[in-house]
Amino acid sequence: MVRPYGRWIMPNLRKVAGTKEVAITGASVGAVVTELVKRYPALAANLLLDGQIRPHVIITVNGHSTDDVDAPVTEFDVVSIFPPLAGG
Amino acid sequence: MNGWNGKILEIDLATLTHKSYPLDMEMAKQFIGGRGLGARLLWDLVGPEVEPLSPENVLIFTNGPLTGTGYQTSNRFSVTTKSPLTGTVLDANSGGYWGMQFKKTGYDVLIVRGKAQKPVWIEVKNGEVAFHDASALWGMRVFAVTEKLGQDNNKRNVLCIGPAGENLSRIAAIMNDRERAAARGGPGAVMGSKNLKAIVVEGSTRPEVMDKERYKFLMYETKKLLAASPLTSQALPEFGTVVLMNIMNNIGALATRNHQQTQFEGAEAISGEELTEKYLVKNQACWACPIGCTRISKTEKVEGEGPEFESTWAFGAQCGIDDLPAIIEVNALCNDLGLDTISAGSTIACAMELSEKGYLDSDLRFGRADQLALAVEAMAYRRDIGAELADGSLRLATKYGHPELSMTSKGLEFPAYDPRGLQGQGLLYATSNRGGCHMRGNMIGLEVLGLPKLIDRFQVQGKSSFVILNQNSNAAIDSLVLCKFTNMGVADEYFARVLSAVTGVEYATGDMIKTGERVWNLERLYNNREGFTAQNDTLPPRLLTEAPTDGPSKGWVSKLEPMLKEYYRTRGWDENGVPTPKKLAELGLAELAEASYR
Amino acid sequence: MIDPRIYETFREIGEDLYAADMISSHGGNLSIRLGDRVIIKRRGAMLGRLKPHDLIETRLDKNDSGVVLASTELLVHRAIYLNTPALAVCHCHPRTAVAFSLSRDEIVPIDNEASYLLKKIPVVTEEFASGTPQMANKVAEAVKNYKIIMLRGHGSFATGQTLDEAFMWSTILEEACQIILAAKTINEPFKEYRAMSEAYSKF
């Protein structure tokens, strides 16, 4: 399950996906993102840079931040994707 | 010497007199300006015998050598005093225009002493000082006073208190430029205790820059870096600070219902996305700021600045409320009354828990959005239940026999981040010199956002070094005085170089961070002199013993003790949290400390 | 016992340094500061093939039992931690950068990324060998003001909040030097694409 958050620059993640949650199968974080972009090609501009996940894009697996694209995921995991964030 | 004006203005309200004298330049070089210089001056002026709300306490307004030069975000000022909320050293800083204009009056520091016999306001026009009767302004709210005294962004700027400050609420803010706040720790109450309603500044002295070529180059590079960083060029302008709501909730570190939970089911409804979608009118920026994170939002009833992330959280998740228009309205009300939104919201949340548990007889309940505005009004005027709420959650909870339900360190209400899911943040709260706060250093970058690199938020070993670096760096930035958001695009070394270019005094990056360390240690000495000890470096029992029962932080409590031990050693302090003579000598504070203990 | 997550970071970056030709088999060094302690490579261990027991934890301010096992370069790492805000140090021998350090007092990158991030890299000279107090102090003084510096004819010292960061500065430096070298080989006049680049040497 992938939850793209935010409406960061147009086209935004949620609007492009048209939903708050997408069910996607993939063995790793990287595979899930690749599949997501394949399904919604317009997300590529927001998520990828030179084929890699953009710097500052934040990904959590079940609420735990990760910067490891090889981190394994199963069908029970929730991957959340956030655009670059700052604040306080 | 450039950058600094080299002059202090001192006002005695008891006699309505003023004098001007040179700034000690050795002191200025050692403490830079802003928070650092303020702490150094407070050390001499206000000892442990002084009650925070007595005429003997002082208000020290400072700017820094970069202020008003036009360097990105060089608009801020800092106000230093002994906090009526915590009893610690306090500095609060604020953006907008006032700081820049204050610098242009030709002074680096404005010290306000004593108490006026009746309400006054002060006007500083270049070198001229005038005292005016404020009887007719007393009782007036912030927006009205600001307008009445002729606020004109680039020319004439108004700083004032609202009814909360007049009524000596210990969580009252000092407001400037209508809606900017130096809020935390209750500086507004100190101003109220002096019968001082407002300070208006107007000036035409432009600060001189020593090495103009180098300065121009650094400005240009800073501009490029801020534009290149997606944080300062996109995230902050697009959604403002409230954008943090969803991520903090997602990772289970969003304090909810007075820290009873770490996730809020209504987070989406009060998120930055929701605010932008439904209530945003436009962005706004402080003087000389290319980032522009300020929101102007509008509901059926109000239009104004904010709400910021912390304010939205304090009246939202912390009170179990998901009604965004109500939050926008109560935020505007706090600005108009001159209240710290974080402390106000969290104090109401504390009252809600006390009431639900039957310890306090009131109608306040979690989730009741209709009660927010009423409670805040009552707080500012000390009416009914408001009389109890006006002095913050620790005094409230203590009065009703349950101090453990106050979510504070040293009496200052925490911001949104629940430290059970963020170990480093917990250490920050516990050791912060002005009490539980995210502006004396913030671990969210490292522990959540991956800036500059993600570290494990649950890891305990080694956390102290990150926390200390953050604290020292923030103390340096607060002494400059710049906005901490620039630091998301621009590294510390740029600040050191700009400082060198402007003043002509060479600061290496390491020297500047060392200055931050010096400031931190001086503040610590100040608190020690006030009687604070290692015992005060702690968190409420809830955060140390009650683990969240669900969400990603499930099962975690703050492991403060081992972190704190490591922190003291790394700081070069003894096990009681007192800076060692060796550390003080290294920082050039030995003589100062010795004189005080004698 | 050193946290496995910390070991993992050391191992990965050590491997990468070797694979990127930035160290010889036993050369280079990595360390991090953890509070009042330092974690550093064991004396004689190979950075490209680190085992968990190859990491030594020792005190920052004075010697303890860990120190006999620690790398001979502990002294310079300690000096950096005691004199700068650094929390991680990456020392390696980036070849092109070392070559440039022989003839230049500072290296000013011409490529975009390094121009952005480094502006310039000072070169310091120290006749005393690796591991002496003289060298330690000189290096610590230089990294007070720059993310990464070159020790003439020897190698680079980079600092950061994390090892990744210090490693990143090191690779950016070597890349910048390779680009300068390639541009020299092409030997055609530059078309300057960076405004105010003439001021980089003042950074």
Side-chain angles (χ1 to χ4, degrees):
Chain A
M1 191 81 78
V2 179
R3 291 180 183 159
Y5 273 91
R7 296 186 315 109
W8 180 53
I9 47 180
M10 301 299 285
N12 67 65
L13 303 187
R14 277 186 179 177
K15 280 218 171 130
V16 170
T19 171
K20 287 184 181 176
E21 288 185 3
V22 193
I24 281 182
T25 32
S28 67
V29 167
V32 166
V33 173
T34 309
E35 179 59 30
L36 180 73
V37 171
K38 208 184 276 175
R39 210 178 286 182
Y40 304 101
L43 285 180
N46 287 340
L47 294 181
L48 304 180
L49 184 69
D50 301 334
Q52 308 265 330
I53 294 176
R54 272 185 176 273
H56 302 305
V57 165
I58 298 167
I59 297 179
T60 70
V61 179
N62 306 328
H64 296 282
S65 312
T66 182
D67 53 4
D68 180 7
V69 289
D70 299 327
V73 292
T74 71
E75 57 185 309
F76 303 108
D77 294 325
V78 176
V79 177
S80 304
I81 304 175
F82 295 84
L85 301 175
Chain B
M1 191 104 39
N2 291 2
W4 292 282
N5 285 318
K7 265 160 58 182
I8 295 181
L9 174 64
E10 188 174 313
I11 284 174
D12 186 354
L13 288 174
T15 54
L16 297 184
T17 54
H18 65 91
K19 60 181 174 183
S20 164
Y21 50 90
L23 171 66
D24 176 343
M25 291 317 294
E26 281 312 306
M27 191 191 279
K29 274 191 244 173
Q30 236 194 338
F31 293 93
I32 306 181
R35 170 176 163 193
L37 187 57
R40 178 63 190 85
L41 293 166
L42 191 76
W43 175 267
D44 288 343
L45 292 171
V46 179
E49 71 288 355
V50 175
E51 280 295 312
L53 294 179
S54 72
E56 286 71 39
N57 197 3
V58 302
L59 281 168
I60 305 170
F61 295 89
T62 48
N63 54 54
L66 304 184
T67 313
T69 57
Y71 183 72
Q72 285 87 347
T73 77
S74 63
N75 58 65
R76 304 182 77 86
F77 71 95
S78 175
V79 55
T80 302
T81 189
K82 189 195 282 189
S83 166
L85 183 65
T86 62
T88 62
V89 61
L90 171 71
D91 95 284
N93 76 54
S94 174
Y97 294 79
W98 195 89
M100 165 279 291
Q101 195 71 252
F102 166 39
K103 177 74 171 279
K104 282 166 72 184
T105 62
Y107 298 105
D108 303 305
V109 181
L110 165 60
I111 299 173
V112 182
R113 325 175 65 135
K115 177 184 180 179
Q117 284 169 348
K118 53 180 190 171
V120 294
W121 65 278
I122 301 170
E123 190 172 26
V124 184
K125 249 185 182 177
N126 287 316
E128 301 295 310
V129 180
F131 298 95
H132 302 281
D133 180 9
S135 307
L137 304 178
W138 208 251
M140 216 183 251
R141 295 191 180 194
V142 171
F143 302 163
V145 174
T146 307
E147 195 182 336
K148 176 117 183 145
L149 295 182
Q151 168 79 16
D152 183 353
N153 279 356
N154 284 313
K155 277 198 184 121
R156 178 179 167 92
N157 299 89
V158 179
L159 169 150
C160 67
I161 54 168
E166 293 173 9
N167 296 318
L168 308 184
S169 158
R170 289 176 195 264
I171 57 171
I174 290 178
M175 305 296 298
N176 62 288
D177 302 304
R178 191 178 145 99
E179 283 158 306
R180 312 294 317 185
R184 307 236 63 198
V190 178
M191 204 159 143
S193 75
K194 298 189 170 307
N195 269 335
L196 177 59
K197 181 67 179 176
I199 304 173
V200 179
V201 288
E202 228 180 284
S204 55
T205 317
R206 266 198 87 89
E208 285 292 318
V209 170
M210 187 65 111
D211 186 343
K212 292 194 177 65
E213 280 304 303
R214 192 176 177 203
Y215 173 75
K216 208 173 116 196
F217 157 66
L218 290 162
M219 280 263 290
Y220 176 70
E221 290 296 317
T222 303
K223 183 178 150 195
K224 279 204 298 191
L225 286 164
L226 291 177
S229 161
L231 303 174
T232 47
S233 67
Q234 286 158 5
L236 283 167
E238 178 95 357
F239 292 118
T241 55
V242 201
V243 74
L244 288 182
M245 196 69 73
N246 278 330
I247 181 87
M248 296 317 298
N249 193 51
N250 182 275
I251 65 164
L254 188 71
T256 300
R257 294 185 189 84
N258 207 32
H259 290 69
Q260 293 185 92
Q261 294 97 30
T262 51
Q263 282 185 314
F264 181 43
E265 65 287 355
E268 289 249 357
I270 57 171
S271 64
E273 287 85 339
E274 189 74 6
L275 181 70
T276 303
E277 181 114 331
K278 296 197 177 142
Y279 306 100
L280 181 72
V281 179
K282 58 172 181 176
N283 294 8
Q284 201 164 287
C286 298
W287 185 78
C289 174
I291 304 171
C293 69
T294 305
R295 320 274 84 192
I296 302 292
S297 51
K298 189 179 175 178
T299 68
E300 282 169 14
K301 294 183 196 153
V302 300
E303 176 171 344
E305 274 192 26
E308 300 295 334
F309 169 57
E310 306 299 348
S311 315
T312 311
W313 160 81
F315 292 114
Q318 182 74 332
C319 291
I321 288 168
D322 62 3
D323 181 341
L324 192 50
I327 294 168
I328 294 170
E329 284 155 18
V330 77
N331 174 69
L333 184 61
C334 282
N335 287 343
D336 206 11
L337 295 168
L339 274 169
D340 173 4
T341 52
I342 299 180
S343 287
S346 195
T347 301
I348 292 172
C350 174
M352 286 171 165
E353 187 175 355
L354 287 168
S355 304
E356 288 200 345
K357 296 218 153 100
Y359 304 138
L360 169 68
D361 182 17
S362 88
D363 299 334
L364 291 167
R365 293 293 181 276
F366 287 114
R368 289 282 302 273
D370 58 310
Q371 293 173 332
L372 286 179
L374 294 171
V376 162
E377 281 262 356
M379 216 182 255
Y381 293 101
R382 290 188 175 274
R383 278 197 305 252
D384 312 320
I385 181 83
E388 319 264 355
L389 303 177
D391 291 326
S393 64
L394 184 57
R395 284 178 172 80
L396 172 78
T398 305
K399 181 168 176 193
Y400 289 94
H402 291 276
E404 76 281 4
L405 296 184
S406 162
M407 293 301 129
T408 52
S409 268
K410 301 187 178 73
L412 186 69
E413 284 76 13
F414 300 128
Y417 322 95
D418 192 296
R420 287 168 290 193
L422 301 163
Q423 294 295 326
Q425 197 75 355
L427 180 61
L428 266 172
Y429 289 165
T431 56
S432 160
N433 286 326
R434 71 173 188 184
C437 159
H438 65 299
M439 299 309 286
R440 311 290 88 166
N442 198 338
M443 291 293 286
I444 301 306
L446 284 160
E447 292 190 323
V448 182
L449 306 178
L451 302 173
K453 166 80 188 165
L454 196 64
I455 61 172
D456 190 327
R457 62 193 172 102
F458 296 112
Q459 185 185 318
V460 170
Q461 192 193 14
K463 271 287 159 70
S464 68
S465 20
F466 292 104
V467 166
I468 290 168
L469 176 58
N470 250 283
Q471 292 177 331
N472 293 347
S473 161
N474 276 13
I477 294 171
D478 284 341
S479 301
L480 284 170
V481 189
L482 294 177
C483 171
K484 295 187 181 80
F485 287 159
T486 46
N487 206 203
M488 296 190 167
V490 181
D492 289 337
E493 54 185 343
Y494 284 81
F495 301 148
R497 282 162 177 74
V498 173
L499 181 60
S500 309
V502 168
T503 60
V505 183
E506 261 325 296
Y507 288 86
T509 317
D511 298 333
M512 201 187 63
I513 303 300
K514 195 98 200 158
T515 301
E517 186 183 3
R518 182 177 300 123
V519 172
W520 192 273
N521 277 269
L522 175 62
E523 291 173 343
R524 181 73 183 193
L525 283 177
Y526 188 94
N527 287 350
N528 289 346
R529 194 172 74 176
E530 293 290 322
F532 287 85
T533 66
Q535 304 262 308
N536 302 97
D537 295 337
T538 189
L539 297 170
R542 171 166 292 163
L543 306 181
L544 298 171
T545 59
E546 295 173 24
T549 52
D550 55 12
S553 302
K554 181 179 171 179
W556 280 89
V557 295
S558 171
K559 302 195 169 174
L560 183 61
E561 207 190 309
M563 286 193 292
L564 200 56
K565 281 194 173 137
E566 187 189 86
Y567 176 93
Y568 288 163
R569 288 199 309 269
T570 308
R571 273 262 176 228
W573 297 354
D574 67 19
E575 64 234 28
N576 299 315
V578 179
T580 56
K582 187 175 157 222
K583 177 51 78 177
L584 293 172
E586 179 196 315
L587 296 170
L589 295 173
E591 279 179 40
L592 205 78
E594 208 174 288
S596 85
Y597 293 137
R598 204 176 284 147
Chain C
M1 179 61 199
I2 287 160
D3 193 314
R5 289 167 294 194
I6 291 172
Y7 161 67
E8 198 51 30
T9 313
F10 270 81
R11 192 190 56 76
E12 279 179 11
I13 293 179
E15 246 177 50
D16 289 350
L17 276 171
Y18 187 71
D21 282 344
M22 288 172 67
I23 47 171
S24 58
S25 65
H26 291 68
N29 212 330
L30 297 171
S31 74
I32 60 167
R33 174 178 180 169
L34 277 188
D36 60 342
R37 311 189 68 80
V38 181
I39 294 178
I40 192 166
K41 186 189 78 166
R42 177 194 290 270
R43 182 172 300 185
M46 291 158 75
L47 213 46
R49 297 182 186 175
L50 282 179
K51 303 284 177 294
H53 65 264
D54 286 336
L55 295 184
I56 301 297
E57 184 176 337
T58 180
R59 280 188 64 143
L60 179 57
D61 54 342
K62 56 183 171 203
N63 292 338
D64 57 12
S65 58
V67 79
V68 289
L69 298 171
S71 158
T72 44
E73 272 166 352
L74 175 64
L75 205 60
V76 58
H77 290 248
R78 273 183 176 164
I80 291 173
Y81 292 129
L82 288 171
N83 290 292
T84 76
L87 298 181
V89 173
C90 173
H91 165 54
C92 60
H93 305 154
R95 294 165 193 183
T96 323
V98 172
F100 274 113
S101 78
L102 296 170
S103 55
R104 300 188 175 189
D105 290 331
E106 59 185 36
I107 298 171
V108 179
I110 54 174
D111 65 302
N112 185 51
E113 187 177 38
S115 299
Y116 241 150
L117 296 170
L118 302 179
K119 301 285 181 295
K120 75 165 182 183
I121 300 92
V123 177
V124 298
T125 305
E126 176 52 54
E127 59 176 311
F128 287 97
S130 182
T132 60
Q134 288 88 341
M135 170 194 147
N137 292 334
K138 198 160 246 180
V139 171
E141 195 53 39
V143 294
K144 237 184 184 178
N145 215 11
Y146 293 90
K147 293 170 178 146
I148 181 163
I149 63 117
M150 285 299 300
L151 193 58
R152 178 160 289 136
H154 177 167
S156 60
F157 284 87
T159 65
Q161 283 193 61
T162 61
L163 270 185
D164 295 68
E165 202 188 341
F167 175 50
M168 179 171 80
W169 307 137
S170 313
T171 56
I172 289 173
L173 166 63
E174 176 58 11
E175 185 183 64
C177 289
Q178 287 179 14
I179 290 168
I180 298 173
L181 183 64
K184 273 198 168 299
T185 317
I186 294 168
N187 196 25
E188 288 172 8
F190 281 176
K191 295 182 193 300
E192 183 55 83
Y193 63 102
R194 305 158 300 169
M196 300 192 80
S197 64
E198 74 287 353
Y200 287 172
S201 63
K202 289 193 206 139
F203 190 68

